Amino acid sequence: MLIIKLVYHGKIQHIKTNRFASLFHNEKGFTFLNLLFSFVIYALIISSLTMILTFLVTNSQYDKDLRPYEWELFIIQLQHEMKSSVNWTVKNNVLSFENKQGQLISISKYNQLIRRQVYGMGHEILLMKVETLNFERQQAGIKMNVSSQAGKEYTHTFRSYKDLSIK
């Protein structure tokens, strides 16, 4: 009957938890050890989480898609070269222009990459994993459409700042 009353009022559970807590109550340094143990577990979880997240992010991109930094570098490089060039022409999806030294530069698609040639010679690779490349002459400049092998579309418009007039 006494056990039923104790169970009904929750005192047996209270006594058991007090016995467990009292085992560590008198030991010196328990809170510091507990803090160190918790910190080590927390550090392991956080370090594992960062490794898992970086693995997921790098493997979540399609293998046949362009990497964002490669696309940005390609645009910056081509824009820098075209800034000081003249006589931009587009013919059969080949962009041609003359650079500062007077050399005829052409940008075209070759197999699954975009290449740069000087006087129709050479083979400097600018971008890989390209399915289609289209150049379109516009009033504001030249619009470039690139489709990756994964099917993602990329566009950029190169503007001629030499043709602009200040009024």
Side-chain angles (χ1 to χ4, degrees), residues 38-122:
S38 300
F39 181 72
V40 167
I41 290 179
Y42 176 74
L44 287 173
I45 290 172
I46 293 299
S47 63
S48 312
L49 192 62
T50 56
M51 288 188 301
I52 290 170
L53 287 177
T54 55
F55 175 77
L56 290 176
V57 167
T58 56
N59 289 335
S60 66
Q61 295 177 344
Y62 292 111
D63 225 10
K64 296 185 176 189
D65 197 10
L66 305 177
R67 287 188 166 62
Y69 61 87
E70 289 176 348
W71 172 253
E72 290 295 324
L73 184 63
F74 167 67
I75 293 298
I76 290 168
Q77 182 180 8
L78 195 55
Q79 193 165 8
H80 178 70
E81 188 169 16
M82 290 180 68
K83 186 188 288 185
S84 61
S85 65
V86 293
N87 299 332
W88 297 358
T89 59
V90 175
K91 185 177 180 184
N92 297 331
N93 283 329
V94 176
L95 172 65
S96 300
F97 54 88
E98 289 182 29
N99 65 3
K100 289 189 257 187
Q101 291 82 20
Q103 298 171 323
L104 180 64
I105 308 294
S106 62
I107 309 295
S108 62
K109 181 181 177 298
Y110 179 76
N111 292 337
Q112 277 77 36
L113 50 90
I114 297 176
R115 70 176 175 180
R116 175 185 181 270
Q117 292 182 306
V118 180
Y119 291 118
M121 297 171 56

